[in-house]
Amino acid sequence: MATHPGRLTAPERPERPAPDAPASYALRAEQVVRRYGDRVVLHGIDLALEPGEFVALLGRSGSGKSTFLRAVAGLDDGVAGSGLLDVTERVSLSFQDSRLLPWARVADNVALGLTGPGPRARSVTALAEVGLAGRERAWPHELSGGEQQRAALARALVREPELLLADEPFGALDALTRIKMHALLRELYERHRPAVLLVTHDVDEAVELADRVLVLDEGRIAVDLAVELPAPRTRRDPRFQNLRDTLLAALGVAGRATATDGPDLTKTKEPR
């Protein structure tokens, strides 16, 4: 586990497992606070993710989702707290934009920064896992949007992370491609079993993918809901609809929204 230095204090830190013992969590946060001047964005977040746990984080724009994700990733030096922020050593990030380097071929993008034996071979294997076998020497601009996100997912998973942080990785994709990417992510998750913290505005996406859904409201976790539905999950399942309605209500969206009810109300995204 790695504690981000210089930002959080842990005056009464609990004992850690012995070096050869498995960690009891992939992420543990206690009283994480983020202020921008007089404005408090995170109001003392407490959260723990166990190894292999898939958690989705919902919330309206400005609720602090991406701020918390940046804190977990160690990208925000302005985070403070009276507790601690411990994160497993092996962390990968995936963003809404694929962030592929345009001057590097796809396999080189996936292998970027890899250490250890055979980075090129590992990159090729990872690309095959996401359905991009034979595209190793393509340039990023030669890939479709969905293919670029597949390459970005390969780059994240080739490092065998213990924690995958995903900030709206499918938000820029069309509906059909997004459905395919949902299936791919869940398949890869079952195969590699990292802990996952997925930030999304899409309620259906959260219920379909995650085993636990949180709602962040004004910098606080307002809902922590287990999703105990068998796979494959279908939106026609009444239990799916009930979870969906509960989360929509927590997000301030009234009424049941289904495919036949008119506009899709499951996406809470607003202009940033």
Side-chain angles (χ1 to χ4, degrees):
M1 307 293 288
T3 302
H4 301 318
R7 296 185 287 119
L8 298 179
T9 60
E12 297 182 358
R13 187 183 305 273
E15 291 186 7
R16 298 188 180 190
D20 58 346
S24 59
Y25 49 82
L27 159 66
R28 184 178 179 187
E30 293 182 1
Q31 291 298 301
V32 174
V33 176
R34 181 56 164 113
R35 294 182 176 87
Y36 292 94
D38 295 332
R39 179 175 174 239
V40 182
V41 178
L42 300 177
H43 292 261
I45 298 293
D46 293 318
L47 176 63
L49 266 70
E50 296 180 359
E53 189 175 16
F54 196 134
V55 175
L57 184 60
L58 288 166
R60 290 182 286 249
S61 290
S63 62
K65 303 184 305 301
S66 294
T67 299
F68 181 66
L69 203 73
R70 287 195 298 271
V72 173
L75 301 177
D76 187 352
D77 291 332
V79 175
S82 59
L84 57 87
L85 180 54
D86 269 3
V87 184
T88 185
E89 295 287 351
R90 300 206 309 271
V91 180
S92 287
L93 289 88
S94 180
F95 301 96
Q96 183 170 336
D97 187 301
S98 65
R99 308 287 176 96
L100 298 178
L101 302 177
W103 57 84
R105 296 187 186 274
V106 171
D108 295 327
N109 266 282
V110 172
L112 184 68
L114 275 183
T115 58
R120 175 76 182 191
R122 291 159 61 193
S123 170
V124 170
T125 299
L127 285 168
E129 267 199 306
V130 299
L132 290 178
R135 303 288 279 161
E136 298 86 1
R137 290 191 54 77
W139 298 102
H141 73 269
E142 295 175 328
L143 303 182
S144 67
E147 288 174 331
Q148 290 179 13
Q149 284 303 105
R150 286 172 181 265
L153 191 55
R155 183 178 56 193
L157 292 176
V158 75
R159 289 157 177 77
E160 292 293 337
E162 295 171 326
L163 175 62
L164 173 63
L165 304 174
D167 193 0
E168 297 187 68
F170 313 130
L173 302 178
D174 64 84
L176 182 58
T177 303
R178 191 162 57 245
I179 291 171
K180 293 178 179 178
M181 290 299 295
H182 287 171
L184 176 63
L185 176 58
R186 190 71 198 188
E187 176 188 337
L188 293 171
Y189 163 73
E190 295 291 349
R191 187 179 304 162
H192 293 272
R193 300 301 294 186
V196 180
L197 182 59
L198 168 70
V199 165
T200 179
H201 284 91
D202 190 327
V203 172
D204 283 350
E205 180 173 275
V207 177
E208 183 176 340
L209 291 176
D211 300 313
R212 181 177 162 207
V213 181
L214 311 176
V215 175
L216 200 61
D217 185 22
E218 296 185 350
R220 295 181 174 88
I221 295 177
V223 173
D224 188 338
L225 191 65
V227 181
E228 297 175 342
L229 296 178
R233 295 174 184 172
T234 171
R235 301 180 189 187
R236 297 185 181 90
D237 188 328
R239 294 169 296 177
F240 191 109
Q241 291 293 333
N242 289 335
L243 288 169
R244 187 176 188 254
D245 288 347
T246 299
L247 293 168
L248 285 170
L251 291 163
V253 180
R256 180 180 290 266
T258 67
T260 59
D261 285 337
D264 184 359
L265 301 180
T266 66
K267 296 179 183 177
T268 61
K269 189 170 184 178
E270 304 166 8
R272 292 188 175 183

